[in-house]
Amino acid sequence: MRKTLRNFVGKSTRETPEASRFIYSQSRHQAANSTLARITVLTQTHTTLFTFFKMGAQNLQKAAIGKIDKHIWIYLIVMKMVGAAILNFVINFFIGWATWRDKFPVRIWGMPNTLAGDAFLTVVIQGILTFYIDGMATSYDVRKAKFGISPLLPPQWIHNSKGVIRWFFSGNPDVLEPGVTSGRRALRLFGMFPRALIYVAVLIVVFWPVTVGVIYGFSGDDNNFIRGFPTVPIFKGCFCAIMAFFQTVPVSLYAMMRKGWMQEDGTILPTRSQDASTVDIVIQKEEFVRDSPVSSPIPASN
C-alpha cells in the first residue's frame, strides 16, 4: 500500500519534457507581456506629462472686452471677495493666536503689545502681498481663460492719462508670464514695488483709522487696554478678512486691464509721458480688437 502511494505521488509530481517546455514558454510569454505593459505605461505617462506641460505653456487668453461680463463678476465675487476673505481670516487668526496668546495686557497705543501698531503693519504687509500675489494669480487666470474670464480694455480716462497716473497703470504684474526674458521679468518684479506702495498708502488712509476706532470700542475702562486671547486673534482675523474682501478686487481689475492694454511695460519710476501719436496707435489697436468678431487671443505683452 505504501509502495503504491509512493509511486502515485512520484508520477503526479514528476514533470514530462513537454510540460517543462510548455511552462517555460508560458513564463517567457508572461515576461514579454509584463515588459510590454511597462513600456506602454511609461509611454502613456510621458505623453500625458508632455501634453500637460505643453498646454501649460499655451496662451489661451481671450479677446479683450470693454465691460465686465458675468464670468468676471462671478470670478471676482467668489474668488476675490468671498474666497479671499475666508483665506485671510484663517491665516491671520492663527497668526494672531501664535503671536498674541501669551501677551497681556494688550495696549492700543504704546509699547509693548500695541495693537494699533500691529494693525498698521498688517495693512502694509497684506497690501504688498496682495498686490504681488493676486496680480500674478489674476494674470495667470486671464492668460489661461480660467473660469471663462477675459482681459478688460482700460477706460478712456486711462488712455488719456499722463504722468504718474499713466505710469501707475503701465505696470505689468504678470511676472511669471512664459517666454519673457529675465531682464523683462526683473523690470516687472521691481517695477511693481513702488506701485504697491501707492496702493498701500490708499489702504492705510481707508482702513487704518477705522480699525483704530473699532479697537477703542473693545477697549477697557481706561480706554487703553483690551483683553488678550482670544479677542486679539478673532479681531485680527476679522479685520484682515474684511480688508481682503474689499482690497483684492481692485488688484484683480488692475491685472485684467493690464492684460487688455497692448503697450510696453512701464518703467520702475515715473518718466515723461508718451506722445500723442503713440497713444493714438494704442487706442486704435484696442478699438480694432473690441470691434473684431473674431475671438482670437490678444498678443501677449512684452
Side-chain angles (χ1 to χ4, degrees), residues 286-297:
E286 292 172 353
E287 288 178 350
F288 172 79
V289 173
R290 180 191 296 139
D291 299 334
S292 176
V294 181
S295 58
S296 59

Side-chain angles (χ1 to χ4, degrees), residues 90-200:
V90 174
I91 293 176
N92 287 277
F93 174 83
F94 283 103
I95 292 177
W97 173 79
T99 57
W100 292 91
R101 68 180 186 273
D102 297 328
K103 295 183 179 180
F104 183 85
V106 178
R107 296 175 174 85
I108 299 177
W109 299 103
M111 298 295 290
N113 306 338
T114 169
L115 195 56
D118 179 83
F120 182 86
L121 292 178
T122 300
V123 174
V124 174
I125 295 174
Q126 182 167 320
I128 294 176
L129 291 178
T130 299
F131 201 76
Y132 271 99
I133 296 176
D134 186 70
M136 289 187 288
T138 302
S139 299
Y140 175 83
D141 291 341
V142 173
R143 278 194 283 108
K144 300 302 180 183
K146 298 288 186 179
F147 309 97
I149 62 176
S150 304
L152 291 174
L153 293 175
Q156 197 66 31
W157 66 271
I158 295 181
H159 289 303
N160 300 331
S161 63
K162 297 179 180 181
V164 177
I165 296 179
R166 188 172 186 83
W167 163 82
F168 180 83
F169 285 99
S170 67
N172 196 332
D174 196 2
V175 179
L176 303 178
E177 182 178 4
V180 178
T181 62
S182 300
R184 180 71 63 181
R185 206 180 300 276
L187 175 65
R188 295 180 181 183
L189 180 64
F190 292 104
M192 293 304 294
F193 185 73
R195 295 171 173 87
L197 295 181
I198 296 176
Y199 171 72
V200 168

